[in-house]
Amino acid sequence: MRWIVGLGNPGAAYANTRHNAGFMVVDELARRLNADVGTQKFRALVGETRVGDAKVALIKPMTYMNLSGESLRAFMDFYKAKLEDLIVVYDDLDTEVGRIRLRYQGSPGGHNGIKSIIQHVGTQTFNRVRVGISRPEPGMVISDYVLSGFAKSEKEALQRSVEEACDAIEYALAHTFEQTMAKFNSKG
C-alpha cells in the first residue's frame, strides 16, 4: 500500500493558511483520484483508492501539526505500512510560493510536523514533497506567518504548486522516488 500524508491543522480557521499546504495537496489528489478522505481513523481523516494495481491511502492527521507523527505511526502500525511507501507533503518556508521540492531524507528544518514524524518513526529517511510558502518579511513571527492566509497575489502560484505536487505524487506511484525527484526537482 502506498500512503500519502498531507500535513496541516484541522478546522475552518486554518483551512486556507500556509501551514495547510499539505492538506491542500491531499484534497486535490482526492479530487483527481475520486477518493473520499472522510473516514475518521488513527486520529486522522483517511481515504483509500486504487491507482493501477496499487492501493493508495490519503491521510490528513487531525492531531494538529505538532503531533502529526502520532497519527502517522498509528496508521503505520495498524496496516504494517512500509516507510518506503510513504510520501509526506507539507509546507516549506525555504521554498518560494509556486515551487515544490522533493527529498527523501533530512532534518526537520524547524518544521514541527516533520519533527514529530521523525520522533515517531525513528528516522529522517522518508519521501517528502515540500510545497513552497516563502519566508515572511523580516520581523514577522514565523508562527504567525505560517498560520496566516496566502496573499491574493500568491493564489495562482499556490495553485500551480499544489497541482505540480499532485503530478509528482501521481508520477511517484509508478516510478521510484529517485526518478520522481529527478523529473520534478529539475523544473524551473
Side-chain angles (χ1 to χ4, degrees):
M1 175 192 312
R2 307 300 299 273
W3 47 312
I4 316 303
V5 177
L7 301 187
N9 286 311
Y14 299 107
N16 296 308
T17 63
R18 293 173 188 278
H19 228 12
N20 276 31
F23 278 10
M24 293 172 195
V25 171
V26 167
D27 289 342
E28 174 59 18
L29 264 177
R31 187 194 67 72
R32 288 182 180 196
L33 302 175
N34 199 26
D36 177 23
V37 183
T39 303
Q40 293 192 21
K41 299 194 276 195
F42 316 110
R43 296 179 65 197
L45 292 177
V46 180
E48 294 180 5
T49 189
R50 293 196 81 76
V51 176
D53 292 339
K55 185 175 181 181
V56 179
L58 302 175
I59 304 160
K60 292 167 52 175
M62 293 287 114
T63 56
Y64 289 94
M65 186 64 77
N66 297 357
L67 302 175
S68 297
E70 293 177 6
S71 176
L72 187 145
R73 186 75 221 195
F75 180 92
M76 185 178 178
D77 289 347
F78 183 84
Y79 283 106
K80 307 292 185 253
K82 296 178 189 166
L83 211 49
E84 59 265 25
D85 291 331
L86 166 67
I87 299 174
V88 178
V89 191
Y90 61 101
D91 58 290
D92 182 38
L93 287 164
D94 293 322
T95 304
E96 64 192 53
V97 173
R99 302 208 42 199
I100 65 169
R101 292 180 63 194
L102 284 66
R103 295 285 180 264
Y104 64 89
Q105 67 181 7
S107 73
H111 195 288
N112 289 328
I114 296 300
K115 187 183 301 181
S116 176
I117 291 170
I118 290 169
Q119 288 171 343
H120 283 85
V121 301
T123 182
Q124 294 185 14
T125 304
F126 52 88
N127 301 326
R128 310 165 192 205
V129 175
R130 301 173 355 186
V131 178
I133 62 168
S134 299
R135 284 216 165 256
E137 296 295 321
M140 185 171 191
V141 177
I142 296 286
S143 58
D144 292 342
Y145 177 73
V146 299
L147 295 176
S148 69
F150 288 88
K152 192 174 185 179
S153 62
E154 296 174 310
K155 299 278 187 188
E156 189 177 308
L158 170 65
Q159 186 58 37
R160 191 170 57 248
S161 63
V162 166
E163 289 173 12
E164 188 174 4
C166 290
D167 293 346
I169 292 166
E170 287 182 295
Y171 186 84
L173 295 176
H175 299 83
T176 68
F177 202 72
E178 289 75 18
Q179 290 170 321
T180 307
M181 287 192 305
K183 179 179 174 77
F184 287 88
N185 281 341
S186 65
K187 291 190 172 190

